[in-house]
Amino acid sequence: MTKILRKLSLLRYQAQMRENYTLTRLYVEADLSQGQVIDLSKDQAHYLGGVLRMTTGGSLRIFNGRDGEWEAQLTDISRKSGQMKVTRLLREPYACPDIWLCFAPVRKHRNAFILEKATELGVARFQPVTTQHTQYGKLRLDKMQSQIIEAAEQTERLDLPELKDPVTLEQLLGDWPEGRTLIFADEVGDAKPALETLKEISSSCALLIGPEGGFTPQERDLLREQNFVIPVTLGPRILRADTAALSLLTLWQSVQGDWG
Amino acid sequence: MTKILRKLSLLRYQAQMRENYTLTRLYVEADLSQGQVIDLSKDQAHYLGGVLRMTTGGSLRIFNGRDGEWEAQLTDISRKSGQMKVTRLLREPYACPDIWLCFAPVRKHRNAFILEKATELGVARFQPVTTQHTQYGKLRLDKMQSQIIEAAEQTERLDLPELKDPVTLEQLLGDWPEGRTLIFADEVGDAKPALETLKEISSSCALLIGPEGGFTPQERDLLREQNFVIPVTLGPRILRADTAALSLLTLWQSVQGDWG
């Protein structure tokens, strides 16, 4: 019986794949509603017309992070410009659970990696945090935003994670909102395992990941003095900052988020 | 009271950091025991003498994946050759829990990423698997091995994950060992959440991750026909193969591995 159900659900899944997932998925800024006509940006036209070689009449999926996912049809397309018409609603709006990732930016490709993976793992807000060991030039927020959008397009998200301006650790803790717990990955032996701690949390939550080289002793003390901060451990091995971010997000989604 | 304990444990931690973690950590192939003298390979000599500019008398930490972690002292070092003497045992041998990662190799940098992250997350064995959608040239197992070693060095592991030769999915399933459960990440709706499933498993375990583009319907059927295979879901978003690998490993370590 289970086998038959599985088979049916597999067929349903494949049908859905054929119908939807095969269609190119694009983020747009415009509001979305039935029948609306949207001008393509130069980049979008280049991508659809130039790279994908799509032609007038071709269908794609679009989302703006607010209005769900819609099917659209190209009414005009060249390599430099084009238009599409919104034809039908494919999926109702859905916002990822309310989980923040506060992270000290790390080296270029690891940073891109954190943005991509955390977007896949359904993070709601990115909060860059500068710490004493943080080493990077000026943050390219525009570049980070486009990396987030690209990840959201491929992971079938209907919303976009919010990207905040960087703050210092002191600012982050000083302006901390009422009723949100801050979980930080700490190698110190007395912290409880992450899963155990995350299970017990009844408030909204944020995760904090240190830079390569970790927090300084002063920063650790400052963090542990806050009544809204809980340190957790992620096992006996030393994890890179980007690994710790993904592991914490995975565990949070499994016990507090939408993986249940 | 807790605060005092935390403070003490923090100081202990910092002391340990000063004593050990600041020392360069190197993987060697030789057996390790008190007083033993080891010739440096050309690469090791170049790294220690040329890159790090270490001199005779300098200390480092070495491990071979079998004999724990030892302190060693350079007795002779140039940019091309050198010797070190094993001075004392720092950590007893410790093997990571018995978890396998069977994965379809993906594009170059994502592959390197899976090897690095899974090594940090304490995987015991890597089993490359070729599937119908697997696209890559010949696998550079030597390169993969050195990526694994580099990750093991930095994540403070005392053992090395085993890297097996690639097999086809059919071979993998055909030669499957008695009493080991194979968990695979499946988007099909009827699969149970990964955490829930992993909690209940009483046997040893392996994780299977498909290629970009996923498994074919035939492969899904083949997998679901095996009585040792259990499909699980990782939430409502579509995860890349590398993300799914890390999430499954994180969840397994939290409920079955050494993160508890």
Side-chain angles (χ1 to χ4, degrees):
Chain A
M1 185 54 191
T2 327
K3 271 213 157 174
I4 300 172
L5 285 176
R6 282 190 170 166
K7 184 71 190 172
L8 281 173
S9 126
L10 180 55
L11 292 171
R12 260 204 316 282
Y13 166 77
Q14 286 158 16
Q16 183 190 23
M17 288 285 280
R18 269 194 304 280
E19 188 189 347
N20 287 343
Y21 291 174
T22 53
L23 287 183
T24 298
R25 190 163 189 269
L26 206 64
Y27 170 80
V28 297
E29 286 176 358
D31 293 334
L32 298 176
S33 62
Q34 187 83 38
Q36 192 187 350
V37 174
I38 300 171
D39 291 324
L40 298 177
S41 71
K42 204 179 163 194
D43 289 350
Q44 291 168 337
H46 170 76
Y47 175 64
L48 297 176
V51 178
L52 299 183
R53 304 296 175 87
M54 288 180 70
T55 54
T56 302
S59 295
L60 64 152
R61 295 178 296 150
I62 57 179
F63 71 109
N64 61 6
R66 307 178 300 274
D67 303 325
E69 182 175 77
W70 294 75
E71 186 174 77
Q73 201 162 41
L74 291 173
T75 53
D76 173 31
I77 178 72
S78 76
R79 284 157 186 252
K80 294 204 165 119
S81 69
Q83 275 193 336
M84 55 187 170
K85 185 173 185 181
V86 180
T87 50
R88 67 182 175 120
L89 180 67
L90 295 173
R91 289 195 287 161
E92 294 289 344
Y94 172 79
C96 287
D98 175 29
I99 179 67
W100 299 358
L101 179 62
C102 309
F103 69 106
V106 287
R107 267 173 298 143
K108 210 165 159 202
H109 76 286
R110 294 194 181 277
N111 222 40
F113 170 79
I114 289 177
L115 295 171
E116 175 187 294
K117 296 313 179 201
T119 300
E120 289 178 46
L121 294 171
V123 74
R125 172 187 289 192
F126 286 105
Q127 176 60 70
V129 182
T130 56
T131 68
Q132 292 176 46
H133 284 168
T134 305
Q135 293 165 337
Y136 62 88
K138 197 172 169 358
L139 268 191
R140 288 283 314 278
L141 288 176
D142 55 341
K143 188 134 188 269
M144 290 168 73
Q145 186 63 48
S146 61
Q147 289 166 331
I148 289 169
I149 288 173
E150 195 184 330
E153 286 172 339
Q154 73 83 26
T155 196
E156 299 292 331
R157 267 181 84 140
L158 295 178
D159 62 339
L160 270 195
E162 184 182 14
L163 176 60
K164 308 293 284 185
D165 289 330
V167 296
T168 65
L169 183 61
E170 291 69 19
Q171 289 169 327
L172 181 78
L173 301 179
D175 305 342
W176 196 254
E178 267 301 316
R180 185 175 292 265
T181 305
L182 180 59
I183 301 287
F184 88 104
D186 193 357
E187 295 87 354
V188 179
D190 73 325
K192 276 167 65 182
L195 182 60
E196 199 180 319
T197 302
L198 288 171
K199 256 193 228 150
E200 293 162 359
I201 289 179
S202 55
S203 70
S204 54
C205 202
L207 311 170
L208 172 63
I209 302 301
E212 286 164 342
F215 296 105
T216 64
Q218 296 76 7
E219 288 171 330
R220 284 169 182 278
D221 289 343
L222 180 64
L223 279 164
R224 284 164 168 278
E225 281 161 14
Q226 316 298 322
N227 57 14
F228 54 82
V229 168
I230 305 179
V232 297
T233 60
L234 290 167
R237 289 160 293 278
I238 305 295
L239 303 187
R240 286 183 187 272
D242 50 1
T243 316
L246 303 203
S247 290
L248 277 180
L249 266 171
T250 293
L251 295 173
W252 186 89
Q253 288 290 5
S254 293
V255 293
Q256 299 272 351
D258 61 8
W259 285 22
Chain B
M1 185 55 189
T2 328
K3 270 212 159 171
I4 301 172
L5 286 176
R6 282 188 171 168
K7 185 69 188 172
L8 282 172
S9 127
L10 181 55
L11 292 171
R12 261 204 314 283
Y13 167 77
Q14 286 157 16
Q16 183 191 23
M17 287 286 281
R18 269 194 303 280
E19 187 190 347
N20 289 343
Y21 291 172
T22 53
L23 287 184
T24 298
R25 192 165 187 268
L26 206 64
Y27 170 80
V28 298
E29 286 177 356
D31 293 333
L32 298 176
S33 62
Q34 187 83 39
Q36 192 188 350
V37 174
I38 299 171
D39 291 324
L40 298 177
S41 72
K42 202 178 163 194
D43 288 351
Q44 291 168 339
H46 170 76
Y47 176 64
L48 297 176
V51 179
L52 299 183
R53 303 296 174 87
M54 287 179 71
T55 54
T56 302
S59 295
L60 63 152
R61 296 178 297 148
I62 57 179
F63 71 109
N64 62 5
R66 306 179 300 275
D67 303 326
E69 181 174 77
W70 294 74
E71 187 174 76
Q73 201 162 42
L74 292 173
T75 52
D76 172 31
I77 177 75
S78 76
R79 285 160 184 247
K80 293 208 166 112
S81 69
Q83 275 192 336
M84 56 187 168
K85 185 173 184 180
V86 181
T87 49
R88 63 179 178 124
L89 180 67
L90 295 173
R91 288 195 288 161
E92 294 288 344
Y94 173 79
C96 287
D98 174 30
I99 180 68
W100 299 358
L101 178 62
C102 309
F103 69 107
V106 286
R107 267 173 297 142
K108 211 164 159 201
H109 75 287
R110 294 195 180 275
N111 223 40
F113 171 79
I114 289 178
L115 295 171
E116 175 187 295
K117 296 313 180 202
T119 300
E120 290 179 45
L121 294 172
V123 74
R125 173 187 288 191
F126 286 104
Q127 175 60 71
V129 181
T130 55
T131 67
Q132 292 177 44
H133 284 168
T134 305
Q135 292 165 337
Y136 62 89
K138 198 175 168 354
L139 268 191
R140 289 282 313 278
L141 288 175
D142 54 342
K143 186 129 187 275
M144 290 168 72
Q145 186 63 47
S146 60
Q147 289 165 330
I148 289 170
I149 288 172
E150 196 184 331
E153 286 172 340
Q154 73 83 26
T155 197
E156 299 293 330
R157 266 181 86 139
L158 295 177
D159 63 339
L160 269 195
E162 183 184 15
L163 175 60
K164 307 294 282 185
D165 289 329
V167 296
T168 64
L169 183 61
E170 291 69 18
Q171 289 168 327
L172 181 78
L173 300 179
D175 305 341
W176 196 253
E178 267 300 316
R180 184 174 294 266
T181 304
L182 180 60
I183 301 286
F184 88 104
D186 193 355
E187 295 89 353
V188 179
D190 73 327
K192 275 166 66 182
L195 181 61
E196 197 181 320
T197 302
L198 289 170
K199 257 193 228 147
E200 293 162 359
I201 288 179
S202 54
S203 70
S204 55
C205 201
L207 311 170
L208 171 63
I209 302 301
E212 285 165 342
F215 296 105
T216 64
Q218 296 75 9
E219 288 171 331
R220 286 170 180 276
D221 288 343
L222 180 64
L223 278 165
R224 285 165 167 276
E225 280 161 14
Q226 316 298 322
N227 57 14
F228 54 81
V229 169
I230 305 179
V232 298
T233 60
L234 290 167
R237 290 160 291 279
I238 304 296
L239 302 187
R240 288 183 186 271
D242 49 1
T243 316
L246 304 202
S247 291
L248 278 180
L249 266 171
T250 293
L251 295 173
W252 186 88
Q253 289 290 5
S254 293
V255 292
Q256 299 272 351
D258 59 10
W259 285 21

